Amino acid sequence: MAGNLANAGGRRMVSAMEIEPVAVVRSCFGGKFAVPRQPGLCPSAWGELVFEPGFRQPEALRGIEGFSHLWLIFGFHLTAGGGWSPTVRPPRLGGNERVGVFASRSTFRPNGLGLSLVRLEGVEDRAGEGKVLLLGGIDLVDGTPVFDVKPHLPYAESPGGARGGFAEQAPERLAVESDGVHGFTDLPQRSRDVICEALSLDPRPPAGRNEEGRVYGTGLCGLEVKFRVEGAVCRIVSVEPAPASGLKG
């Protein structure tokens, strides 16, 4: 649900507005674990935006090829039933300190909406699907519903002197090692890049980062990737086929 402002008798009234997805994301991220917390942090990540049948008119995308980046307004569909709280604990603060939900990008929001800036890598005509947008640098899990698409305008949306609050600096990264892991070097280069970029961001929950050596698993590029962290190094333990989920490439 979103809100509309209307004037009734000199008073500002809020009325509900029904919204429906216009498209869905197919993504190299098969589950929310290991998805980057912001777009662009995993530049090799890819996805596709497939429009719902009622929004596949080709004229709706006329001129979109001229833009390098797009804003996606999407829904946090995997946490939609979790409700919301006026304060949240951002992972960037170690999961211990609370800030206001509107001072964060938490998934647990009143309306469950997110905003993501993605790279437009191309547009393909697909039989039965119409025009499909090819995306890069995404931070969206497979199956994410998208409610609107808007072009990014560099002259208006790259302000100088901007401040980042408690997230001023980019997150630190781990070194990722894959020596001797069967099948890893046989993967396409972009898949290897996605795996290394995603794991370098240390996807472990803040509460579990004291458990060095524990093996975690996550779905990336249609694979089940297992890893463990030792100090400042993330070691890939194994790479195996996973049940159909996300894109392979």
Side-chain angles (χ1 to χ4, degrees):
M1 300 292 287
N4 241 352
L5 289 178
N7 193 298
R11 295 177 299 165
R12 289 165 65 84
M13 304 292 291
V14 178
S15 61
M17 180 178 70
E18 295 286 345
I19 58 175
E20 62 177 309
V22 301
V24 66
V25 171
R26 293 176 183 157
S27 168
C28 59
F29 299 113
K32 63 181 181 179
F33 188 61
V35 175
R37 294 191 176 99
Q38 306 298 339
L41 291 180
C42 187
S44 299
W46 73 87
E48 299 177 347
L49 193 67
V50 181
F51 287 87
E52 298 292 347
F55 301 97
R56 289 180 183 168
Q57 298 90 332
E59 58 269 26
L61 294 174
R62 185 180 302 158
I64 202 168
E65 296 93 339
F67 296 93
S68 65
H69 291 74
L70 303 172
W71 290 106
L72 303 184
I73 300 174
F74 65 93
F76 290 112
H77 65 299
L78 296 181
T79 57
W84 75 285
S85 170
T87 62
V88 295
R89 302 183 204 185
R92 286 298 296 273
L93 296 177
N96 298 316
E97 185 176 339
R98 286 189 175 273
V99 302
V101 66
F102 298 126
S104 80
R105 296 196 177 188
S106 169
T107 61
F108 298 101
R109 317 189 69 80
N111 287 306
L113 296 176
L115 183 66
S116 188
L117 182 63
V118 301
R119 189 171 66 248
L120 177 61
E121 297 187 344
V123 182
E124 286 189 358
D125 279 300
R126 302 262 182 90
E129 293 182 337
K131 289 185 178 293
V132 174
L133 303 186
L134 308 182
L135 308 175
I138 69 170
D139 61 340
L140 303 173
V141 71
D142 190 63
T144 296
V146 171
F147 296 98
D148 205 355
V149 180
K150 299 177 184 288
H152 172 259
L153 302 177
Y155 74 88
E157 296 166 347
S158 301
R163 293 182 291 121
F166 61 82
E168 188 73 47
Q169 302 297 324
E172 295 183 358
R173 291 183 183 263
L174 302 171
V176 179
E177 296 185 358
S178 59
D179 297 343
V181 175
H182 177 72
F184 183 78
T185 57
D186 296 330
L187 297 175
Q189 182 64 54
R190 191 163 185 179
S191 292
R192 282 181 279 157
D193 289 343
V194 170
I195 292 170
C196 290
E197 290 167 5
L199 296 185
S200 76
L201 293 166
D202 195 351
R204 297 176 300 166
R209 293 189 177 182
N210 293 325
E211 303 177 50
E212 278 202 7
R214 176 179 173 182
V215 175
Y216 292 84
T218 184
L220 295 168
C221 305
L223 302 163
E224 177 68 17
V225 180
K226 294 186 178 179
F227 67 94
R228 67 174 179 265
V229 176
E230 300 171 351
V233 177
C234 176
R235 301 187 188 280
I236 298 174
V237 175
S238 65
V239 176
E240 303 289 345
S245 178
L247 298 173
K248 301 177 182 179

